[in-house]
Amino acid sequence: MKEMKTCPGCKSVLADDAAFCPECGAPYREALPPFTSPQQQRGQQQQQRQQVAYCPGCGAEIGAETPYCPHCGSPVSAPGQWGSFIFDDDDDGNGKKKGRRLKIRPLFIGVAAAVAVVGIAILAFLLLRGGPSGSSYLVYAKDKQLQYSQLSESGSFQLTARLFDSDTPHAIEFMNMYPYVLVSNDGRYVFYPDRSDNNTYTYYWRETGAKDGDATKVDSDIVGIPSLSQDGGKLFYVRDEDMSLYVYDRASGEKNKLDGDIVNVMVNDAGDYLLYTREVDGEVSIYETIVKGIIGEKEKIDSNVAICQVFVNEKKVFYTKEESLYCKEYGKGKEKLASGVTRVLTFTSETGADDPYLYYLKSNMTTSRLSSFINDDLANSDQNLVEPSYPTYPAMPIMPIESDYPATETWIPFDWGNLLDSYDPSEWENAKHVLVAGGQVSAIWNEAEEEYGNWEYTSEAFNEASAMYLYEMTVWEAECGSLEETYEIEWAHYQDKAKRDELRLALGNPENAVSVENVSLYYWQGGEERLISSHVGSWIDSSTTVPVILYRKYETDQATPINLSVLLAAAGPHFSVSDVVDEIRWQATYERAVSPEVFVALGEKEASLGGENAERWRLAPDGTIYFLDSYDYDNEYGILTSVATQGQSGSLSAPLIIDEEVASYTFGHGTSRVYYGKGIKDNHGDLYRDGVHIASDVHLSPLYNFMGTDTILYYKNFREDASRGSLAIFRDGLETVISHDVSYFMPTDEQNVAFLVDYNRERERGDLLLYNGGARPVTLDTDVTAMLWNPDMVWGGNWGDYWGDY
């Protein structure tokens, strides 16, 4: 029996169909997100716009407070918006609305989620970019403020002075600030917030080279996460007051308003091109702007659109409008790629390629009467049922009359003793022929016998006739009862048949017909679209580097027919026709049988992978297919197997068994190497890479692989109760234990790893150390509360994993 599905990152319980964690965005690959038709999406948006949010990537309905879509992993917000914020009407405490405001949500972003998600998943609010590639730095929290350390130099300096209003900000509050601190690519300039006021920030900047340098104020009332050009020359931000977009020039200190009513913004690395959306009177329009200095020249691209993918450095955007897919590149007119598109699954990541490709879905609705979803296995028997006639009862036996039968007379003398015992003689009334005592005739006079007495009349023939009558009445009553019982049973059967006939009429009524969506998968390349497959049931995984996509299909065009007898047995003897009709409509619409077989599209060709007993299908970055075959649900492991793909040639290699009894696996950071665990108990086990044993007693929840290398960080001897363990690094085939008693580790760049030891979780204080490959770690500071991730370094689902079980 399967256990509840939980997020591999933050351990939140996931819905059965969730492909990504709604709390942290970590991917869960074996989930199968349902498709939502355009008709359903539009109806939901009209009816529930104020109560729910919709994923901007796949259009699925999600909770209004969910930061990541559980179906596709995209950062989500209110309908028509992107990114990590949502509009809300705040109350000022006096029952009055203060107007539209942006509600900032904590960002738990992992590289694995960002790499796996395509389309709108890359559109976080403004461009989230981490630290510089040419310098090393560390931002951490101490004494309720942020500290900045240039790791290439000794010491650090205090960055903020009044970051939080709270007197006792917790470590998690500081950790959530990691995307808000922006550093130029050369590490020379840092932009940061230094006052949080009702989810708005006041931003400053300063040079990092001088510890005692002065901070320069940029602006206040900033919402969301600003974006910094790579050279640190321009900062783009939105002010809460009028939701206007501004550009700030660091060299001159000037700022300029570029546009208002902003929903979302994307900025290229150079800071000279913007792509953004505005919402005016409920209409969302997309614009592009060339920035010269602090002056922007904007051009409207289109209105009422849904963004699919943005390649902001290439100044190119893909979007849908009225179910048509468009591509717009700066300096060129918009190009219509396809019609009837309901969802774009994946784009090539080779943005500058001469021949890009993409996969997308189209759908059409087939309307069917409910009778087509029913196997009427009661039809033949019901044809023989007719309304029963009231039974004709046999004649009732005639009761015998005693006078009709001869009788025998016998004289019985009067018993005077009884009379004497019963009556006072003074009350006797004597007559010659009749003796009356107490007002009753007690005896008559017999002249022949000369005595009082009575005649007794008996008839054997009458007695025999009476006995026969009683027997005949018993037989008659039993026969009548049998006829009555048979009639009642036949009448009940007829009534049931009549109710089934009523149900059959309802099932055949066109007014009760349902529309079933048929989803087809298409491949687009070189200006042409090609149909890959119809009746697609669910999307499993796709690659952004090679044209490969995994999916399942429905077994039939519609839901598997239901036997009428089974349906009515479940409904019970007193079923309601309307309730049964509703149940069939539900099953016909939402419970279509999906084949256990897995299919793969390679370019424009389709192949079958089987997979009836396989689980956890995933695509490596190079397009190789991995899965756990012969999966054992009791022990939660299977045979790790791979199938190599040949891209557009449409060929698959023979399955290759990598290892047995594999419980979980993941791919390297920027590589297709596969890491997996065996012998897992309480999240501890043996760690392997590509069939080679790396280490034992590894805490498998937080692993960190340096991008493009085989170097990996992990905990050993991890204590769940204390949330600390020994930090180890595996490099060049050797394991090195860096330090013991580590509660939190964080790679700051490709060479350095910062970590906290002797951490007191009640006081939220520990010693900050740095490992740079030397024999012993270097102490950077003491009484440190938390460290802020460099977003460029995040990998593996959720940065919070490296905080242990905080």
Side-chain angles (χ1 to χ4, degrees):
M1 180 178 179
K2 291 184 179 180
E3 297 182 355
M4 290 188 299
K5 188 165 70 176
T6 58
C7 171
C10 66
K11 305 301 183 292
S12 298
V13 176
L14 305 181
D16 289 339
D17 62 344
F20 289 82
C21 177
E23 297 300 327
C24 73
Y28 194 96
R29 293 295 182 166
E30 61 178 328
L32 307 175
F35 295 123
T36 306
S37 68
Q39 293 88 340
Q40 292 171 322
Q41 293 178 25
R42 286 193 291 267
Q44 293 170 347
Q45 290 173 353
Q46 292 173 356
Q47 297 174 12
Q48 304 179 17
R49 182 175 177 88
Q50 300 302 322
Q51 290 77 26
V52 300
Y54 297 88
C55 173
C58 66
E61 177 182 329
I62 54 178
E65 296 301 324
T66 303
Y68 288 89
C69 175
H71 301 289
C72 73
S74 302
V76 295
S77 58
Q81 301 176 27
W82 309 338
S84 58
F85 54 87
I86 180 171
F87 283 112
D88 187 23
D89 290 324
D90 285 348
D91 196 297
D92 64 0
N94 298 315
K96 298 180 180 180
K97 297 294 182 181
K98 295 189 291 185
R100 290 179 99 196
R101 146 167 289 4
L102 284 167
K103 295 169 64 179
I104 307 300
R105 294 198 180 95
L107 297 176
F108 295 84
I109 300 176
V111 169
V115 171
V117 179
V118 296
I120 201 68
I122 68 164
L123 297 180
F125 176 63
L126 300 178
L127 184 59
L128 299 185
R129 188 169 59 249
S133 60
S135 65
S136 298
Y137 73 97
L138 173 65
V139 178
Y140 60 93
K142 178 179 179 176
D143 298 330
K144 304 177 185 179
Q145 300 300 326
L146 295 182
Q147 304 283 329
Y148 186 96
S149 174
Q150 195 81 38
L151 297 179
S152 59
E153 302 174 5
S154 60
S156 62
F157 61 85
Q158 183 172 311
L159 191 64
T160 63
R162 50 176 187 172
L163 181 58
F164 290 112
D165 293 332
S166 171
D167 292 334
T168 56
H170 292 290
I172 194 67
E173 296 180 72
F174 288 107
M175 295 163 68
N176 284 334
M177 295 299 299
Y178 80 96
Y180 292 84
V181 179
L182 309 172
V183 181
S184 62
N185 235 35
D186 59 6
R188 183 176 177 182
Y189 305 102
V190 57
F191 287 72
Y192 57 93
D194 194 14
R195 184 167 182 82
S196 173
D197 184 14
N198 196 22
N199 289 329
T200 66
Y201 299 93
T202 299
Y203 259 80
Y204 296 82
W205 71 268
R206 60 169 293 174
E207 291 193 58
T208 60
K211 297 180 181 180
D212 299 326
D214 294 330
T216 302
K217 181 178 177 180
V218 176
D219 208 339
S220 58
D221 201 30
I222 296 175
V223 292
I225 303 169
S227 184
L228 183 66
S229 62
Q230 280 191 338
D231 63 2
K234 292 184 177 65
L235 184 74
F236 298 87
Y237 59 91
V238 174
R239 299 191 74 239
D240 183 45
E241 182 180 4
D242 51 4
M243 296 308 298
S244 293
L245 173 64
Y246 287 81
V247 57
Y248 171 84
D249 183 77
R250 177 187 49 77
S252 65
E254 297 179 350
K255 54 179 174 283
N256 181 46
K257 178 179 175 180
L258 299 176
D259 212 336
D261 300 310
I262 299 298
V263 176
N264 202 304
V265 181
M266 288 289 291
V267 184
N268 69 346
D269 291 341
D272 59 5
Y273 175 82
L274 310 178
L275 186 83
Y276 62 91
T277 56
R278 302 178 63 225
E279 181 177 4
V280 179
D281 297 330
E283 179 179 274
V284 177
S285 300
I286 184 170
Y287 291 80
E288 61 181 355
T289 295
I290 294 296
V291 180
K292 298 179 181 179
I294 59 172
I295 304 301
E297 300 175 358
K298 72 175 182 179
E299 178 182 352
K300 183 177 180 179
I301 294 177
D302 215 332
S303 58
N304 290 325
V305 301
I307 302 297
C308 298
Q309 179 75 301
V310 174
F311 300 109
V312 67
N313 286 322
E314 285 72 25
K315 303 176 182 177
K316 181 186 296 185
V317 58
F318 291 85
Y319 64 92
T320 57
K321 178 179 181 177
E322 297 176 352
E323 299 182 14
S324 292
L325 177 63
Y326 293 88
C327 175
K328 173 65 172 68
E329 190 171 359
Y330 178 72
K332 301 179 181 178
K334 64 180 181 181
E335 177 186 2
K336 183 177 179 180
L337 304 182
S339 301
V341 177
T342 56
R343 178 179 174 187
V344 178
L345 295 180
T346 183
F347 289 82
T348 174
S349 62
E350 300 294 331
T351 58
D354 295 332
D355 198 12
Y357 67 87
L358 61 149
Y359 286 101
Y360 52 84
L361 302 175
K362 294 186 178 184
S363 65
N364 59 75
M365 308 301 292
T366 302
T367 302
S368 303
R369 299 190 182 192
L370 294 183
S371 55
S372 64
F373 300 97
I374 294 297
N375 176 30
D376 194 350
D377 57 338
L378 301 177
N380 292 335
S381 59
D382 280 355
Q383 286 181 353
N384 300 323
L385 288 178
V386 296
E387 182 176 359
S389 300
Y390 196 79
T392 300
Y393 298 107
M396 179 183 290
I398 299 176
M399 180 184 294
I401 301 175
E402 187 175 7
S403 60
D404 293 340
Y405 294 88
T408 301
E409 294 182 337
T410 301
W411 174 254
I412 305 297
F414 183 74
D415 184 0
W416 290 94
N418 291 339
L419 187 63
L420 291 174
D421 292 339
S422 304
Y423 300 100
D424 186 344
S426 63
E427 296 180 355
W428 294 359
E429 298 177 11
N430 295 306
K432 187 175 182 180
H433 298 292
V434 177
L435 176 63
V436 178
Q440 297 181 355
V441 177
S442 299
I444 62 174
W445 178 257
N446 188 330
E447 291 287 350
E449 299 294 334
E450 293 185 350
E451 61 181 354
Y452 285 99
N454 289 288
W455 292 99
E456 185 178 272
Y457 298 90
T458 59
S459 175
E460 294 296 331
F462 174 74
N463 291 339
E464 292 178 0
S466 297
M468 179 59 67
Y469 168 75
L470 293 176
Y471 170 75
E472 291 176 348
M473 279 296 295
T474 301
V475 173
W476 178 81
E477 289 175 349
E479 185 175 356
C480 290
S482 177
L483 291 173
E484 181 71 23
E485 182 179 359
T486 301
Y487 172 76
E488 290 178 354
I489 292 174
E490 291 178 350
W491 178 254
H493 287 168
Y494 177 75
Q495 290 294 95
D496 291 343
K497 183 255 186 185
K499 199 169 185 179
R500 288 192 293 270
D501 287 341
E502 181 185 355
L503 176 60
R504 291 182 178 103
L505 288 175
L507 298 179
N509 189 338
E511 295 182 359
N512 292 328
V514 296
S515 294
V516 178
E517 184 179 20
N518 173 29
V519 178
S520 298
L521 174 65
Y522 284 82
Y523 175 72
W524 183 94
Q525 188 179 40
E528 296 182 7
E529 69 175 13
R530 302 163 181 87
L531 174 64
I532 303 297
S533 182
S534 298
H535 312 303
V536 176
S538 58
W539 166 79
I540 300 176
D541 201 0
S542 59
S543 171
T544 58
T545 56
V546 292
V548 180
I549 186 168
L550 297 177
Y551 53 95
R552 284 189 172 95
K553 299 197 293 187
Y554 289 114
E555 290 183 341
T556 59
D557 293 356
Q558 59 186 32
T560 303
I562 310 167
N563 283 342
L564 184 61
S565 60
V566 174
L567 185 69
L568 294 183
H574 306 294
F575 68 89
S576 164
V577 170
S578 61
D579 289 345
V580 173
V581 167
D582 291 342
E583 176 65 20
I584 298 174
R585 288 176 60 87
W586 173 265
Q587 295 191 30
T589 305
Y590 300 107
E591 297 187 5
R592 301 167 65 186
V594 177
S595 171
E597 188 174 9
V598 174
F599 293 86
V600 55
L602 302 123
E604 60 184 76
K605 298 181 180 180
E606 180 184 57
S608 172
L609 291 167
E612 186 170 347
N613 297 315
E615 291 289 343
R616 304 191 181 182
W617 296 80
R618 291 188 63 183
L619 282 170
D622 64 0
T624 302
I625 303 166
Y626 285 83
F627 56 93
L628 297 183
D629 203 4
S630 302
Y631 193 78
D632 186 331
Y633 288 100
D634 292 331
N635 294 304
E636 297 183 327
Y637 58 62
I639 302 173
L640 180 59
T641 306
S642 69
V643 176
T645 61
Q646 299 300 321
Q648 299 184 20
S649 66
S651 61
L652 298 171
S653 70
L656 174 64
I657 294 178
I658 299 173
D659 209 337
E660 299 181 352
E661 297 185 359
V662 175
S664 61
Y665 67 95
T666 188
F667 302 118
H669 191 180
T671 72
S672 293
R673 299 181 184 93
V674 61
Y675 294 84
Y676 59 91
K678 294 181 62 176
I680 296 177
K681 183 179 180 181
D682 297 330
N683 204 30
H684 288 74
D686 295 332
L687 178 63
Y688 290 77
R689 182 187 66 233
D690 295 328
V692 178
H693 181 264
I694 293 179
S696 299
D697 192 28
V698 174
H699 191 62
L700 294 171
S701 176
L703 301 174
Y704 187 85
N705 176 219
F706 286 90
M707 178 176 283
T709 73
D710 291 332
T711 302
I712 190 165
L713 292 166
Y714 48 86
Y715 282 121
K716 293 174 66 70
N717 304 313
F718 190 83
R719 292 176 51 197
E720 299 283 354
D721 57 343
S723 295
R724 61 185 61 185
S726 298
L727 177 62
I729 185 169
F730 186 86
R731 175 184 289 161
D732 299 329
L734 298 176
E735 179 184 77
T736 301
V737 175
I738 297 174
S739 180
H740 302 291
D741 197 32
V742 176
S743 293
Y744 184 31
F745 70 89
M746 187 187 76
T748 60
D749 55 31
E750 290 76 7
Q751 301 296 326
N752 299 303
V753 181
F755 56 93
L756 293 175
V757 298
D758 298 326
Y759 195 83
N760 185 313
R761 289 185 175 268
E762 293 183 359
R763 295 181 58 248
E764 294 190 325
R765 297 289 188 274
D767 294 337
L768 175 62
L769 279 68
L770 181 71
Y771 174 77
N772 55 15
R776 300 185 63 179
V778 178
T779 300
L780 295 180
D781 209 337
T782 58
D783 292 329
V784 172
T785 299
M787 297 180 289
L788 278 64
W789 269 83
N790 177 342
D792 280 348
M793 300 300 295
V794 177
W795 172 79
N798 181 7
W799 62 266
D801 284 343
Y802 308 101
W803 185 247
D805 295 331
Y806 182 82

